[in-house]
Amino acid sequence: MNELDALVDSARASFEQAATPADLENAKAQFLGKSGRLTELMKGMAALSVDEKKTRGAAINLAKQAIEAALNARRQALADAELQAQLKAEALDVTLPGRQRGQGGLHPVSLTLERIEQIFGSMGFDVAQGPEIETDWFNFTALNTPEDHPARSMHDTFYVEGGSASAPNLLRTHTSPMQIRHAVQHVKRHRDRLDAGQGMPEIRVIAPGRTYRVDSDATHSPMFHQCEGLWIGENVSFKDLKVVFTDFCRTFFESDDLVLRFRPSFFPFTEPSAEIDIQFQTGPLAGRWLEVAGSGQVHPHVVRNMGLDPEHFIGFAFGMGPDRLTMLRYGVNDLRLFFDGDIRFLSQFQ
Ligand code: PHE
């Protein structure tokens, strides 16, 4: 083997050994660099005759082309290897089944609230929303609840730090403050007509939302839901309350033979007052009286705090527990399940 063929072989071998592009560039310098072995051979041609230069030059050129070809081949091989390694590292298995996005749904209590709004909506009731952080005035005082009422104690109500009697200072313990808030707005809107002795459109509203009490067991949660109902007009009676609420319960539970009982009770803001119990005639709860709401004829003091004359305006209010309605409708026996956020429980309502 002549000297040039040996050089080409040795270049090929050293390129083959180069494991990285940097190694390869070093190997290249040894042959094609300024003082590389091939470059040295070319420098040696200066001493040759013109004829010798021709043959020797052609031979060296061939060797150079062979070395360059070997270099490029190795470069390509290293680049391919790198690409393969990268592809392997970022492997994407297109045959895997797609990842499905879980289908969300409404919370069972939200389903109940929607249902309540829809049923009362069909009976001409508006839906009102109000603040969960309330003032003493709206939550208690305006509702004829005296200063020394136990519901006002620290044990029963969450107070907000830094609040005062005129600024919102507690988490509302019921949705009843919405009776006052909504009625005051309504009265304001119809002030001119009222002042002119022309009366006003009846107040017919429900106010669903979150409420808070210092209570926690299987049937009480510190945060729970209520839905207030209020109907005020010039001639609204307890009979209307019975009809509306009976209709609501039968529609809500999809049961015509549901029986209601209005059991005398006491609330500072209604007089007379009644707890509303329902009884199913069939199904697992048949025969038991189940309390679902407090209610009563709105107290004259409260009517006055709405900005209305209790001699002319009268009506009723009720407050029911959507959480309890949800438990009864779906046969759930622990209220806390609604607020644990366990998807295994919640997904059963979709
Ligand atoms: N706010 C009362 C409660 O939380 C319920 C109620 C509402 C009673 C309206 C009468 C009228 O217990």
Short mmCIF file of all heavy atoms in Angstrom, two decimals, residues 45-82:
data_model
loop_
_atom_site.label_atom_id
_atom_site.label_comp_id
_atom_site.label_asym_id
_atom_site.label_seq_id
_atom_site.Cartn_x
_atom_site.Cartn_y
_atom_site.Cartn_z
N MET A 45 5.65 19.30 -2.05
CA MET A 45 5.67 19.30 -3.51
C MET A 45 6.51 20.43 -4.10
O MET A 45 6.91 20.38 -5.27
CB MET A 45 4.23 19.42 -4.06
CG MET A 45 3.44 18.18 -3.80
SD MET A 45 2.08 17.98 -4.94
CE MET A 45 1.55 19.59 -5.30
N ALA A 46 6.77 21.47 -3.28
CA ALA A 46 7.49 22.63 -3.78
C ALA A 46 8.82 22.24 -4.44
O ALA A 46 9.25 22.86 -5.40
CB ALA A 46 7.74 23.61 -2.61
N ALA A 47 9.42 21.17 -3.92
CA ALA A 47 10.75 20.78 -4.41
C ALA A 47 10.70 19.95 -5.69
O ALA A 47 11.72 19.67 -6.30
CB ALA A 47 11.48 19.99 -3.31
N LEU A 48 9.49 19.58 -6.13
CA LEU A 48 9.40 18.67 -7.28
C LEU A 48 9.44 19.40 -8.62
O LEU A 48 9.13 20.60 -8.68
CB LEU A 48 8.09 17.86 -7.19
CG LEU A 48 7.90 17.00 -5.93
CD1 LEU A 48 6.55 16.29 -5.98
CD2 LEU A 48 9.03 15.99 -5.78
N SER A 49 9.72 18.62 -9.68
CA SER A 49 9.71 19.19 -11.03
C SER A 49 8.27 19.35 -11.49
O SER A 49 7.36 18.80 -10.86
CB SER A 49 10.44 18.23 -12.00
OG SER A 49 9.63 17.07 -12.16
N VAL A 50 8.05 20.09 -12.58
CA VAL A 50 6.71 20.35 -13.07
C VAL A 50 5.98 19.04 -13.36
O VAL A 50 4.83 18.85 -12.95
CB VAL A 50 6.76 21.23 -14.34
CG1 VAL A 50 5.34 21.44 -14.89
CG2 VAL A 50 7.38 22.58 -14.01
N ASP A 51 6.61 18.09 -14.03
CA ASP A 51 5.97 16.82 -14.35
C ASP A 51 5.61 16.04 -13.11
O ASP A 51 4.51 15.49 -12.96
CB ASP A 51 6.90 15.97 -15.25
CG ASP A 51 6.72 16.36 -16.73
OD1 ASP A 51 5.79 17.20 -16.98
OD2 ASP A 51 7.46 15.85 -17.56
N GLU A 52 6.61 16.00 -12.20
CA GLU A 52 6.37 15.27 -10.95
C GLU A 52 5.21 15.91 -10.19
O GLU A 52 4.37 15.23 -9.61
CB GLU A 52 7.63 15.31 -10.06
CG GLU A 52 8.67 14.29 -10.49
CD GLU A 52 9.99 14.48 -9.74
OE1 GLU A 52 10.32 15.64 -9.36
OE2 GLU A 52 10.66 13.45 -9.50
N LYS A 53 5.18 17.26 -10.21
CA LYS A 53 4.10 17.96 -9.52
C LYS A 53 2.75 17.50 -10.03
O LYS A 53 1.81 17.30 -9.26
CB LYS A 53 4.23 19.49 -9.72
CG LYS A 53 5.05 20.16 -8.66
CD LYS A 53 5.08 21.67 -8.88
CE LYS A 53 6.06 22.31 -7.91
NZ LYS A 53 6.52 23.63 -8.38
N LYS A 54 2.63 17.34 -11.39
CA LYS A 54 1.36 16.94 -11.99
C LYS A 54 0.87 15.62 -11.43
O LYS A 54 -0.26 15.53 -10.91
CB LYS A 54 1.52 16.82 -13.51
CG LYS A 54 0.92 18.00 -14.24
CD LYS A 54 0.88 17.71 -15.74
CE LYS A 54 0.64 19.01 -16.51
NZ LYS A 54 1.12 18.87 -17.91
N THR A 55 1.69 14.59 -11.51
CA THR A 55 1.24 13.27 -11.06
C THR A 55 1.06 13.24 -9.55
O THR A 55 0.05 12.76 -9.01
CB THR A 55 2.26 12.17 -11.48
OG1 THR A 55 3.57 12.64 -11.16
CG2 THR A 55 2.12 11.86 -12.95
N ARG A 56 2.06 13.80 -8.85
CA ARG A 56 1.99 13.78 -7.39
C ARG A 56 0.76 14.59 -6.91
O ARG A 56 0.00 14.16 -6.05
CB ARG A 56 3.29 14.41 -6.83
CG ARG A 56 3.37 14.51 -5.33
CD ARG A 56 3.56 13.14 -4.69
NE ARG A 56 3.75 13.25 -3.25
CZ ARG A 56 3.56 12.28 -2.39
NH1 ARG A 56 3.13 11.10 -2.85
NH2 ARG A 56 3.78 12.47 -1.12
N GLY A 57 0.58 15.78 -7.57
CA GLY A 57 -0.56 16.64 -7.19
C GLY A 57 -1.88 15.93 -7.41
O GLY A 57 -2.77 15.97 -6.55
N ALA A 58 -2.03 15.25 -8.54
CA ALA A 58 -3.28 14.55 -8.83
C ALA A 58 -3.52 13.48 -7.78
O ALA A 58 -4.64 13.32 -7.25
CB ALA A 58 -3.24 13.93 -10.21
N ALA A 59 -2.43 12.75 -7.40
CA ALA A 59 -2.58 11.68 -6.41
C ALA A 59 -2.98 12.24 -5.05
O ALA A 59 -3.87 11.73 -4.37
CB ALA A 59 -1.27 10.90 -6.29
N ILE A 60 -2.32 13.34 -4.65
CA ILE A 60 -2.65 13.96 -3.36
C ILE A 60 -4.10 14.44 -3.35
O ILE A 60 -4.82 14.29 -2.37
CB ILE A 60 -1.66 15.11 -3.04
CG1 ILE A 60 -0.28 14.52 -2.74
CG2 ILE A 60 -2.16 15.93 -1.85
CD1 ILE A 60 0.78 15.55 -2.40
N ASN A 61 -4.51 15.03 -4.49
CA ASN A 61 -5.90 15.51 -4.59
C ASN A 61 -6.90 14.39 -4.40
O ASN A 61 -7.90 14.55 -3.69
CB ASN A 61 -6.13 16.16 -5.95
CG ASN A 61 -6.22 17.67 -5.79
OD1 ASN A 61 -6.49 18.15 -4.69
ND2 ASN A 61 -6.01 18.40 -6.88
N LEU A 62 -6.60 13.26 -5.04
CA LEU A 62 -7.50 12.12 -4.86
C LEU A 62 -7.58 11.72 -3.39
O LEU A 62 -8.67 11.47 -2.85
CB LEU A 62 -7.01 10.92 -5.70
CG LEU A 62 -7.40 10.96 -7.18
CD1 LEU A 62 -6.81 9.75 -7.91
CD2 LEU A 62 -8.92 11.00 -7.34
N ALA A 63 -6.39 11.69 -2.75
CA ALA A 63 -6.35 11.32 -1.33
C ALA A 63 -7.16 12.33 -0.50
O ALA A 63 -7.93 11.97 0.39
CB ALA A 63 -4.90 11.28 -0.83
N LYS A 64 -6.99 13.61 -0.86
CA LYS A 64 -7.71 14.66 -0.12
C LYS A 64 -9.21 14.47 -0.26
O LYS A 64 -9.97 14.56 0.72
CB LYS A 64 -7.28 16.04 -0.65
CG LYS A 64 -7.81 17.17 0.20
CD LYS A 64 -7.37 18.52 -0.34
CE LYS A 64 -7.99 19.64 0.47
NZ LYS A 64 -7.92 20.92 -0.22
N GLN A 65 -9.63 14.21 -1.52
CA GLN A 65 -11.08 14.00 -1.74
C GLN A 65 -11.59 12.81 -0.94
O GLN A 65 -12.69 12.87 -0.35
CB GLN A 65 -11.36 13.78 -3.23
CG GLN A 65 -11.42 15.09 -3.99
CD GLN A 65 -11.32 14.88 -5.51
OE1 GLN A 65 -11.53 13.76 -6.02
NE2 GLN A 65 -10.99 15.93 -6.23
N ALA A 66 -10.77 11.77 -0.88
CA ALA A 66 -11.20 10.58 -0.13
C ALA A 66 -11.33 10.90 1.35
O ALA A 66 -12.27 10.48 2.02
CB ALA A 66 -10.19 9.45 -0.34
N ILE A 67 -10.34 11.67 1.86
CA ILE A 67 -10.39 12.03 3.29
C ILE A 67 -11.60 12.92 3.57
O ILE A 67 -12.33 12.71 4.55
CB ILE A 67 -9.07 12.73 3.71
CG1 ILE A 67 -7.92 11.71 3.70
CG2 ILE A 67 -9.23 13.35 5.10
CD1 ILE A 67 -6.55 12.32 3.94
N GLU A 68 -11.84 13.89 2.68
CA GLU A 68 -12.99 14.78 2.89
C GLU A 68 -14.31 14.01 2.82
O GLU A 68 -15.24 14.27 3.61
CB GLU A 68 -12.98 15.91 1.86
CG GLU A 68 -11.98 16.99 2.25
CD GLU A 68 -11.82 18.08 1.17
OE1 GLU A 68 -12.35 17.89 0.05
OE2 GLU A 68 -11.19 19.09 1.49
N ALA A 69 -14.34 13.05 1.88
CA ALA A 69 -15.56 12.24 1.78
C ALA A 69 -15.78 11.46 3.07
O ALA A 69 -16.90 11.39 3.60
CB ALA A 69 -15.48 11.29 0.59
N ALA A 70 -14.67 10.89 3.60
CA ALA A 70 -14.78 10.13 4.85
C ALA A 70 -15.24 11.04 5.99
O ALA A 70 -16.07 10.68 6.82
CB ALA A 70 -13.45 9.49 5.20
N LEU A 71 -14.69 12.27 5.99
CA LEU A 71 -15.05 13.24 7.03
C LEU A 71 -16.55 13.56 6.96
O LEU A 71 -17.27 13.51 7.97
CB LEU A 71 -14.23 14.52 6.84
CG LEU A 71 -14.55 15.66 7.79
CD1 LEU A 71 -14.14 15.31 9.21
CD2 LEU A 71 -13.86 16.96 7.34
N ASN A 72 -17.03 13.88 5.75
CA ASN A 72 -18.45 14.23 5.61
C ASN A 72 -19.36 13.07 5.98
O ASN A 72 -20.40 13.27 6.61
CB ASN A 72 -18.74 14.69 4.18
CG ASN A 72 -18.18 16.10 3.95
OD1 ASN A 72 -18.02 16.86 4.93
ND2 ASN A 72 -17.85 16.42 2.71
N ALA A 73 -18.92 11.86 5.59
CA ALA A 73 -19.74 10.70 5.91
C ALA A 73 -19.87 10.56 7.43
O ALA A 73 -20.95 10.28 7.98
CB ALA A 73 -19.14 9.44 5.31
N ARG A 74 -18.70 10.75 8.11
CA ARG A 74 -18.73 10.61 9.57
C ARG A 74 -19.56 11.73 10.21
O ARG A 74 -20.30 11.49 11.16
CB ARG A 74 -17.29 10.62 10.10
CG ARG A 74 -17.18 10.36 11.58
CD ARG A 74 -17.69 8.97 11.98
NE ARG A 74 -17.72 8.76 13.40
CZ ARG A 74 -18.54 7.93 14.04
NH1 ARG A 74 -19.40 7.22 13.33
NH2 ARG A 74 -18.49 7.80 15.33
N ARG A 75 -19.43 12.94 9.69
CA ARG A 75 -20.24 14.06 10.21
C ARG A 75 -21.72 13.72 10.14
O ARG A 75 -22.47 13.89 11.09
CB ARG A 75 -19.99 15.31 9.36
CG ARG A 75 -18.88 16.17 9.89
CD ARG A 75 -18.89 17.52 9.17
NE ARG A 75 -17.70 18.28 9.55
CZ ARG A 75 -16.98 19.04 8.73
NH1 ARG A 75 -17.34 19.13 7.45
NH2 ARG A 75 -15.94 19.69 9.16
N GLN A 76 -22.11 13.23 8.96
CA GLN A 76 -23.51 12.89 8.75
C GLN A 76 -23.95 11.80 9.73
O GLN A 76 -25.02 11.88 10.33
CB GLN A 76 -23.71 12.42 7.29
CG GLN A 76 -25.17 12.31 6.88
CD GLN A 76 -25.91 13.65 7.02
OE1 GLN A 76 -25.46 14.68 6.52
NE2 GLN A 76 -27.03 13.63 7.76
N ALA A 77 -23.05 10.80 9.91
CA ALA A 77 -23.39 9.68 10.78
C ALA A 77 -23.60 10.16 12.22
O ALA A 77 -24.54 9.76 12.91
CB ALA A 77 -22.30 8.61 10.73
N LEU A 78 -22.68 11.07 12.65
CA LEU A 78 -22.82 11.59 14.02
C LEU A 78 -24.12 12.39 14.17
O LEU A 78 -24.82 12.27 15.17
CB LEU A 78 -21.61 12.45 14.40
CG LEU A 78 -20.31 11.68 14.70
CD1 LEU A 78 -19.18 12.67 15.03
CD2 LEU A 78 -20.50 10.70 15.86
N ALA A 79 -24.42 13.21 13.17
CA ALA A 79 -25.64 14.02 13.23
C ALA A 79 -26.87 13.13 13.26
O ALA A 79 -27.80 13.35 14.05
CB ALA A 79 -25.70 14.97 12.04
N ASP A 80 -26.85 12.06 12.43
CA ASP A 80 -27.98 11.13 12.43
C ASP A 80 -28.16 10.49 13.79
O ASP A 80 -29.28 10.36 14.30
CB ASP A 80 -27.77 10.03 11.38
CG ASP A 80 -28.02 10.55 9.96
OD1 ASP A 80 -28.49 11.71 9.85
OD2 ASP A 80 -27.72 9.82 9.00
N ALA A 81 -27.02 10.08 14.37
CA ALA A 81 -27.08 9.40 15.66
C ALA A 81 -27.68 10.33 16.71
O ALA A 81 -28.49 9.94 17.55
CB ALA A 81 -25.68 8.96 16.09
N GLU A 82 -27.25 11.61 16.64
CA GLU A 82 -27.76 12.57 17.61
C GLU A 82 -29.27 12.73 17.46
O GLU A 82 -30.02 12.75 18.43
CB GLU A 82 -27.07 13.92 17.43
CG GLU A 82 -27.40 14.89 18.54
CD GLU A 82 -26.60 16.19 18.38
OE1 GLU A 82 -25.39 16.16 18.62
OE2 GLU A 82 -27.20 17.20 17.99
#
